[in-house]
Structure formats: C-alpha cells, structure tokens
Amino acid sequence: MRRKKAAHAKNVQDKAARSKSALTPAQKVPMTSGKPTSSGNKATVSGQGGSIQNVPASHFTLQLSSASRSGKRKAYATQHKLPNAWVYETKRDGKPWYVLVNGVYASFAEAKQAVSLLPAAVQVQKPWVKPIRQVKQDLNK
C-alpha cells in the first residue's frame, strides 16, 4: 500500500514538474500587489515585468485566502514558502480587499492537481481553483 502511495505521489510530482516547465513568466513571479495602475485596468506583476492582463483568461490560479489587509496575506505566503504567490487588490463592499493566489495553470485539472503539491498547512485551508477571467474582473472593480 505504501508503495502505491509513493508511486502515485511521484507521478503527481512528475506531472506537475512537466506542467511547470510550460508555465509563462507570469506564473513564476514573486508575490506583489496587483493593484491597477493609473490606466485603471492593468495589474502589473513585478519581478519580470509581466502583467496579469497578459495571461489568457482561460487559465487558472489557486486562491489561498483573502482579507482586508495585504500584509497578512504576504506574510502567510512567505511563512509557507510560496514563491509563485501574489496578492492583488480588489473591492469588497466598496472597501479594499486583498486576495492571495498562487501560480497560473493552463487548465482546471492542472490547477486542481497543484493543490496537492502545496504545503500541508496550506492545503488544510482548502484552496480553490479560480479562473484568471475572474481575477481580471476583480481587478476592474
């Protein structure tokens, strides 16, 4: 039984490694605030000069948490060693709201599988797959 679990875990890791090789630069950016620029509709992603607006709307990310303060989201990502995490700002009830997401994946299935590769303490929080389309809508609020 342990061998089967180990083999399954290795297969999941191998597949994730293959899918990571196809990631766009926006998927490998350091955590940042995705606050819209003065143009109002472009969220810049620091580190590699990318923009979430350049990621296809058909892609997905993992939402890990959200809160009214960005500092706690960034600290959470740092604490759990999530190098592909980033925080973006949106509005909730007319007030700033900060969302912590991790990675960008070409398909829902890849994103769902990536949940199993997150640290156990993060998995306990029940991260969910979020369409980039929705992230872009949030950024335009």
Side-chain angles (χ1 to χ4, degrees), residues 55-85:
V55 175
S58 61
H59 284 45
F60 299 86
T61 190
L62 299 177
Q63 181 167 330
L64 306 181
S65 66
S66 62
S68 60
R69 295 185 359 196
S70 67
K72 288 187 178 191
R73 301 306 93 212
K74 292 176 183 180
Y76 180 86
T78 301
Q79 174 188 356
H80 294 290
K81 299 179 176 120
L82 301 170
N84 296 321

Side-chain angles (χ1 to χ4, degrees), residues 45-132:
V45 183
S46 69
Q48 297 182 4
S51 168
I52 194 62
Q53 299 295 355
N54 294 333
V55 175
S58 61
H59 284 45
F60 299 86
T61 190
L62 299 177
Q63 181 167 330
L64 306 181
S65 66
S66 62
S68 60
R69 295 185 359 196
S70 67
K72 288 187 178 191
R73 301 306 93 212
K74 292 176 183 180
Y76 180 86
T78 301
Q79 174 188 356
H80 294 290
K81 299 179 176 120
L82 301 170
N84 296 321
W86 45 281
V87 176
Y88 70 88
E89 181 181 341
T90 186
K91 297 285 184 198
R92 183 173 178 184
D93 298 326
K95 297 178 182 173
W97 192 253
Y98 301 92
V99 182
L100 174 64
V101 294
N102 190 67
V104 175
Y105 306 91
S107 71
F108 181 90
E110 285 178 14
K112 187 76 172 165
Q113 184 179 25
V115 171
S116 67
L117 301 175
L118 293 170
V122 176
Q123 289 183 41
V124 168
Q125 299 299 316
K126 306 272 189 230
W128 64 92
V129 177
K130 185 172 192 169
I132 292 295

Side-chain angles (χ1 to χ4, degrees), residues 16-54:
R18 285 192 303 272
S19 69
K20 283 182 183 177
S21 66
L23 299 179
T24 64
Q27 295 164 299
K28 298 179 181 179
V29 295
M31 184 177 37
T32 185
S33 171
K35 192 173 182 177
T37 62
S38 59
S39 66
N41 64 357
K42 290 189 178 184
T44 58
V45 183
S46 69
Q48 297 182 4
S51 168
I52 194 62
Q53 299 295 355
N54 294 333

